[in-house]
Every structure is written in C-alpha cells, then in structure tokens.
Amino acid sequence: MTTAEHALVVRDLRKRYSQVEALKGISMTLPRGEIWGLLGPNGSGKSTFLKCVAGLVKPDGGEIQILGETPSRRTKAQIAFVPEVESLYRWMTVGQVLDFTAAFFDDWQPETALELLEFMHLDGKSRVSSLSKGMRTRLRLILALARRAPLVLLDEPFSGIDPSSRDRIVEGIIREFKGEEQTVLISTHAVGDTEQLFDSVVFLAEGRVALQGSAEELRRSRGRSINDLFKEVFP
Amino acid sequence: MKRFLKLVRKDLETGRLPVLLLSGITLALMVWARLRLVNAPAVVETAESYWPSIYLVLALAVPVTFFPLWLIWRSVQTLRLEWRDDTIYTLLALPVPGWQIMLAKLVSLCMEYTVLFAVATGGALLLFGGVLNMGTALPGPSWVALNIFWLYLGGLLLFTALAVQTQLAVVVGKMVGRVQGIVTLWVWILAVWFTSRLAELLQPLFRWLPVLRLHELMRLDELETQIILEVHPAGQVGFWLATIGIFALTGVLFERCVEVND
C-alpha cells in the first residue's frame, strides 16, 4: 500500500514552544474515508498537532505526508481546517465570508454552502461580529463542509457552545461527510455526545499517543464506551 | 487575479475607518485654518506678504509630519492585526504564495496613501488656492498638476520602500518567540542600512544613466541658478533592487517560516 492511499501519515512528529515540548514524537496513519477522533485533555497537544498538519505551525522534527505529499501550498488546497480560535474577519457579513473562502478553494460547492447556511440557521446578511459564539462556530464549520476537501481538520468544534449548536454541528458533519473521498479528524476533550461520530480514535496525552485504534474494536476489547475509556485514560 | 483582488479588498476594508478618520481630521483642520486666515485682516489684504501664515503651516502640519509616520504605523498594523485578531489562521491556511499576501497589503497601503494625498492636496488647493492668489502666481493648472503628480510619485515610491522594509521587520519579529519588538526594530534598521549600502555599491555600475535635474522636471525655470536639486538614477537602481529582494524574502518567510502562534 503506498502512502498516497492514506489521507495522512505522520511519523515521529515533534514540536517545542520555548520551554514546553508540545509534541513528543507522534506517529499515526489515517486511511481515507474515515472520521477520526483526536481525544485528549487540554494541553495534550491536539491543537498543535492539527496546526502542524494544516501548515500553520512548523514542526521541529518528524515527517508529515498529506495524500502522499509533504505540507506545502499545494496541500493547503487539500485541507479544510477549522481552528479552535475565532479566525474570521469580524467586519465581514456571513455572505462575504463564504465569497472570500470560495475565491481561494477550487473544491468549493456554492449550493452545498447555501444548503448548510439554511441548515445551520444562519443569515447571509448578518455580520460576523453580531453572531453568537455558537453561530460563529457553525459558520466556520460551513467553510469546511462546503468544500470537497480530502482532509478535514476540526479543532474543538464543540467547545464552549450550547447543546443545540453542538447537535447541529454533529448532524452537519454526518450529513456532509463525503465517504471514501474524505477523511475527517476532529479534536475534542468532550467525547460524550460525539462518540457516535468516530470510526477510529487517537488518545493524546502530554504530546504522545496514549492509545489508538478502531472505535468499535476498542469498545469490544475494553468492554466500555469511548467516553468511559477517555475517563480511564485521563482520570 | 480574483484571489489577489479579494486579498486587497480585505486589507482595504481594515484600513477604511482609520483613513476616513484621518481624512476628516485633516480637512477639519484645513477648514479651521482657512476660516482663521479669512478672519485675519492683514492676511486677507495681501496674503503673499504674510507668507508663511501660521494657519497655513498648521493646516499642512498634519499631512507633512503626521501622514508619513501614520503610514509606517499602518504598514506594521496591517500585519500585526492578523495575529491580534487570530485572522492569521485564515490567512496562513490559504493556498496562495506569501508574496501575494504581502503585495495585497502593499497595494492597499498605497491606496490609503493615495486617498490621504488626494485629501491633503485637494483640500489645500481648494481652501487656500484663492487666498494665496495661486491662479496668477503660478504658471498654470497643468504646471500645478504636473508638480503634484511628481510630489505624489516621489512620496509613493519612498513610502513603498519603507513599507517593504517594515513588512520584513514585522515578519521576522513574528518568527521569534521573545523580544519581538527589539528584533523587529533591529531588522528594520538593518533593512534600511542594506538598501542604502547596496545603492552605494551598485552606483558605479549605473553611472551611464542620465541625471534628472529637478528644476527641469518641475519646470522651475526661474530657480535654475538658485537651486540645483538632482536625482541620480544610478543610486536608485541598487536601492530598488534591494527593495525588491527584501520584498521577495518577506514573501518566502511569510509562507514558509511564520506561525499562527505569537
């Protein structure tokens, strides 16, 4: 099997921020067509890992291959990354945000974007600055889901938002997941309601992989849910 | 091209409010100075004999002293705000070359400069042209337009070079974890030194380029014997080569070395 058949291959990834070693040699291989959960408590290295893959942070060591290529301008076009932070231009309207994103990504699907806008209960004329946190998260999710990107990276999409927004987001991900042609990697420290989403999971602890595998297999072999496993690994 | 224009529009939008504000302040100051000038009897009588009037000096003080500093500050801000507002996540995730992002910021800064220049010169001409009897004292409207154009172009080129050096300084500053301010300042000083040094070093190679005399360029015929201001293109070649090099380097650094983390 060649690496190009995988959506993401990471070997011995390392990253240090001055005194803190955020990633201490992470390795993982994500096949195409699956939804993966990147699970771990705050400070475990989830965001740093996703930023390294998205090309927003430069690793100190190790190797990343996205669809068989090392991170570059070309791979940025293959990735739909939703960061945890509020990364949108606040003076833009929702419609302007969609137009701006559409101009840069050839895989943008305008009809899907409009459908998602309706599904997520967002008005194209609203200003980003006037939206609630949950609405802004939903908008950022639309920017990722309205593309046919082979690799979708969602950093804490359920963090700090109300339950109804969270349900909408989960529904949106399931609805727009493009099967074999797409791989989704979702980082979260709130496994609870989102467990149903994951085909496979990786547990990160202090910058290292603590556990990884198929969600179904882990449930069977350990005799408990992923949520309970999370509590066990991170007491 | 569509992508580049989107980037320019985005950067223009972030500068819209400050430009409007500064334009408003400039015009308000000019109107105030003009009203004071009208109310000063001696000046109204023979404006030329009281040149330079303190009010006119005050009115032009903002464009002359504050605009250049403000524009340099803006060239720092256009980059710095991307980190402060976390929009750097959006910017760095775009599959576009770093030089395009830098160029879009430069273009929007040049447009801001153009607007401010137009407000300052337009305001000065409209409000003070009559008082100073410009219509008869100067050779003609085409002469005024030509010299305003040279003034605009000179300022634009100088400002662009400074903005390019500033962009490099800010980008390198963002590449270090600590003492960003000191690194930014030192890189800026080094960039200014490098451009002037390269200009000096390459000057002998381009001596064959004709010297431009300012009194000919600006048709200041009567001043020919009094002021000899000359522009030496030989020195400019090295200066602009260095500026282009710095711009290219900034683009590469922005694309390959900067991170979203401050």
Side-chain angles (χ1 to χ4, degrees):
Chain A
M1 193 179 257
T2 62
T3 49
E5 288 171 38
H6 295 110
L8 177 67
V9 177
V10 178
R11 291 189 195 99
D12 195 28
L13 191 66
R14 293 173 185 277
K15 176 68 185 175
R16 171 180 277 278
Y17 297 119
S18 57
Q19 302 300 313
V20 183
E21 203 175 355
L23 303 177
K24 299 170 184 168
I26 287 183
S27 300
M28 66 174 80
T29 301
L30 272 63
R32 291 188 190 213
E34 286 192 2
I35 299 180
W36 278 64
L38 186 64
L39 314 177
N42 291 330
S44 57
K46 304 187 297 294
S47 291
T48 302
F49 177 79
L50 291 182
K51 284 188 262 188
C52 282
V53 175
L56 308 188
V57 156
K58 313 299 168 197
D60 295 325
E63 188 190 355
I64 299 173
Q65 289 216 324
I66 299 147
L67 301 157
E69 290 184 44
T70 51
S72 65
R73 201 187 310 151
R74 261 165 62 101
T75 58
K76 281 182 181 177
Q78 311 281 312
I79 295 173
F81 175 53
V82 177
E84 186 184 8
V85 297
E86 305 282 356
S87 57
L88 302 174
Y89 292 94
R90 296 173 77 88
W91 52 265
M92 283 186 182
T93 63
V94 169
Q96 284 172 330
V97 171
L98 300 186
D99 281 349
F100 183 79
T101 310
F104 292 96
F105 296 99
D106 297 333
D107 55 12
W108 181 259
Q109 303 167 98
E111 284 167 16
T112 308
L114 290 177
E115 282 170 26
L116 279 166
L117 213 57
E118 200 176 330
F119 176 73
M120 297 284 191
H121 301 311
L122 289 172
D123 179 7
K125 289 175 187 147
S126 305
R127 279 207 185 275
V128 172
S129 56
S130 71
L131 301 177
S132 68
K133 189 180 180 195
M135 289 162 103
R136 287 199 296 270
T137 307
R138 279 184 263 158
L139 173 57
R140 282 187 286 130
L141 199 76
I142 291 174
L143 301 182
L145 299 182
R147 289 178 52 198
R148 295 190 81 85
L151 183 58
V152 179
L153 309 173
L154 309 178
D155 192 7
E156 298 281 4
F158 317 110
S159 174
I161 56 168
D162 60 277
S164 68
S165 281
R166 190 173 57 220
D167 293 347
R168 282 267 137 189
I169 288 171
V170 171
E171 272 181 63
I173 293 168
I174 294 168
R175 203 181 105 147
E176 293 304 325
F177 177 55
K178 291 161 186 78
E180 282 301 305
E181 62 181 88
Q182 195 167 59
T183 300
V184 182
L185 181 57
I186 306 169
S187 85
T188 183
H189 63 270
V191 184
D193 303 337
T194 59
E195 184 175 332
Q196 45 164 328
L197 272 174
F198 308 130
D199 297 309
S200 301
V201 290
V202 181
F203 288 80
L204 284 194
E206 294 176 355
R208 287 196 177 90
V209 173
L211 184 69
Q212 67 174 309
S214 147
E216 196 48 52
E217 253 179 54
L218 284 172
R219 278 189 210 104
R220 201 178 328 119
S221 62
R222 306 279 178 130
R224 65 198 71 180
S225 69
I226 298 297
N227 193 27
D228 290 339
L229 256 179
F230 185 88
K231 288 172 188 165
E232 186 185 297
V233 177
F234 309 109
Chain B
M1 194 62 184
K2 189 182 164 192
R3 293 175 172 183
F4 180 70
L5 291 177
K6 284 274 177 198
L7 289 171
V8 173
R9 200 188 152 202
K10 167 190 77 64
D11 288 320
L12 275 177
E13 194 66 37
T14 56
R16 192 175 61 168
L17 193 66
V19 167
L20 281 174
L21 198 69
L22 196 58
S23 300
I25 292 170
T26 305
L27 281 179
L29 193 66
M30 281 183 172
V31 169
W32 171 80
R34 176 68 174 82
L35 291 173
R36 298 299 298 247
L37 207 61
V38 168
N39 293 333
V43 177
V44 171
E45 208 177 306
T46 52
E48 286 165 280
S49 61
Y50 283 85
W51 176 270
S53 162
I54 185 67
Y55 301 117
L56 189 63
V57 172
L58 269 177
L60 296 176
V62 171
V64 172
T65 60
F66 189 61
F67 279 11
L69 292 173
W70 187 83
L71 285 163
I72 296 299
W73 177 76
R74 280 284 304 146
S75 47
V76 174
Q77 281 297 88
T78 52
L79 271 167
R80 208 181 65 85
L81 286 178
E82 301 282 6
W83 271 271
R84 193 199 70 182
D85 298 342
D86 285 329
T87 49
I88 189 70
Y89 282 81
T90 298
L91 210 53
L92 284 182
L94 299 176
V96 291
W99 67 264
Q100 268 189 28
I101 292 171
M102 291 296 125
L103 187 63
K105 290 189 182 296
L106 269 185
V107 168
S108 73
L109 285 168
C110 288
M111 287 169 92
E112 287 181 25
Y113 165 83
T114 305
V115 170
L116 290 173
F117 185 88
V119 167
T121 51
L125 281 176
L126 282 172
L127 292 165
F128 298 101
V131 174
L132 297 173
N133 210 9
M134 274 184 175
T136 54
L138 301 176
S142 63
W143 185 92
V144 173
L146 178 76
N147 283 287
I148 286 176
F149 172 73
W150 286 128
L151 204 62
Y152 165 75
L153 196 65
L156 183 71
L157 291 175
L158 184 67
F159 166 64
T160 305
L162 279 171
V164 168
Q165 291 158 355
T166 309
Q167 280 186 334
L168 175 73
V170 176
V171 166
V172 174
K174 289 291 175 192
M175 286 163 56
V176 295
R178 291 176 183 181
V179 290
Q180 285 187 354
I182 294 170
V183 171
T184 303
L185 184 66
W186 271 106
V187 172
W188 189 75
I189 291 168
L190 280 173
V192 172
W193 173 82
F194 173 69
T195 42
S196 54
R197 189 81 187 103
L198 199 69
E200 275 175 43
L201 286 173
L202 294 186
Q203 197 167 14
L205 291 176
F206 298 95
R207 281 228 173 97
W208 50 272
L209 287 167
V211 174
L212 303 171
R213 288 181 179 81
L214 215 61
H215 68 264
E216 287 170 3
L217 214 58
M218 301 178 86
R219 291 166 56 197
L220 300 170
D221 302 331
E222 69 278 13
L223 299 175
E224 189 175 355
T225 53
Q226 297 163 38
I227 305 173
I228 309 294
L229 280 173
E230 292 176 339
V231 179
H232 295 267
Q236 300 294 315
V237 175
F239 178 85
W240 285 103
L241 282 176
T243 304
I244 291 167
I246 286 174
F247 174 75
L249 175 67
T250 310
V252 171
L253 291 177
F254 186 82
E255 190 178 333
R256 298 192 183 171
C257 301
V258 295
E259 299 188 344
V260 290
N261 300 317
D262 220 346

